[in-house]
């Protein structure tokens, strides 16, 4: 997986800085892997067979059998739906040649799930206190994003 370093960085933050339980960490990492995999597929980037197998397993089985998700799925599923629609909006803007700062922000819907996990595990005050730390985990820079589409 090309984002292995980011996956490791997120795992460390989730476990150490945000003190999330293992089931929450596992679910968030599965969701990160799945979203990155499908983004690579949509962009026509090469994908490894192991990543395909993992995305298939996580999407159709593991994400739904995770204890954190089982306990909180009614709250999490609408956020997942919103995250998907935000990504689709960004993708549409990009394909139409309209990538800009707004479409860049739409791509960060995954971090809504991270904030939700912190809120569910530690309460709203903790989520508020850590919101800026969570959002700063977004690994892509606006300049790099825009550069990608100006040279496409």
């Amino acid at each position: 997986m090309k984002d292995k370093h980011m996956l490791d960085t997120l795992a460390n933050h989730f476990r150490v800085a945000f003190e999330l339980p293992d089931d929450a960490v596992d679910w968030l990492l599965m969701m990160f892997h799945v979203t990155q995999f499908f983004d690579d597929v949509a962009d026509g980037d090469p994908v490894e067979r192991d990543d395909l197998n993992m995305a298939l397993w996580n999407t159709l089985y593991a994400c739904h059998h995770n204890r954190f998700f089982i306990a909180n799925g009614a709250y999490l599923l609408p956020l997942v739906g919103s995250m998907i629609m935000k990504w689709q909006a960004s993708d549409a803007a990009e394909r139409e040649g309209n990538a800009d700062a707004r479409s860049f922000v739409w791509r960060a819907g995954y971090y809504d799930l991270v904030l939700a996990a912190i809120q569910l595990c530690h309460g709203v005050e903790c989520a508020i206190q850590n919101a800026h730390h969570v959002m700063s985990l977004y690994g892509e820079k606006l300049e790099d994003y825009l550069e990608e589409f100006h040279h496409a």
Side-chain angles (χ1 to χ4, degrees):
M1 173 180 199
K2 71 179 184 181
D3 293 308
K4 174 89 170 90
H5 175 71
M6 186 61 181
L7 203 62
D8 292 340
T9 299
L10 289 172
N12 184 58
H13 279 89
F14 298 163
R15 287 191 174 95
V16 177
F18 304 134
E19 299 178 348
L20 291 174
D22 289 340
D23 290 334
V25 172
D26 291 345
W27 187 79
L28 288 170
L29 295 177
M30 280 188 271
M31 292 302 296
F32 181 81
H33 179 268
V34 166
T35 58
Q36 295 305 302
F37 173 80
F38 285 119
D39 184 68
D40 288 346
V41 169
D43 291 344
D45 295 338
V47 295
E48 299 292 325
R49 187 62 175 208
D50 288 345
D51 288 327
L52 167 66
N53 291 338
M54 184 180 286
L56 185 62
W57 180 258
N58 288 342
T59 303
L60 298 177
Y61 181 81
C63 285
H64 307 287
H65 283 69
N66 172 280
R67 284 188 287 249
F68 173 72
F69 180 79
I70 291 168
N72 299 291
Y75 183 80
L76 295 169
L77 272 178
L79 296 175
V80 171
S82 179
M83 175 189 70
I84 292 167
M85 288 184 280
K86 286 176 172 180
W87 179 88
Q88 288 172 332
S90 176
D91 184 61
E94 293 163 7
R95 286 184 289 113
E96 293 168 0
N98 295 322
D100 61 14
R102 291 174 302 161
S103 60
F104 174 72
V105 171
W106 299 337
R107 296 169 55 90
Y110 170 78
Y111 297 94
D112 296 347
L113 299 179
V114 177
L115 282 172
I118 293 170
Q119 179 183 351
L120 289 165
C121 294
H122 300 303
V124 70
E125 287 300 318
C126 184
I128 290 169
Q129 292 170 358
N130 285 285
H132 66 289
H133 296 298
V134 169
M135 298 314 293
S136 71
L137 292 174
Y138 189 45
E140 192 171 19
K141 303 286 184 224
L142 174 62
E143 298 79 21
D144 296 336
Y145 170 79
L146 294 175
E147 184 72 18
E148 178 182 340
F149 293 101
H150 289 141
H151 285 88

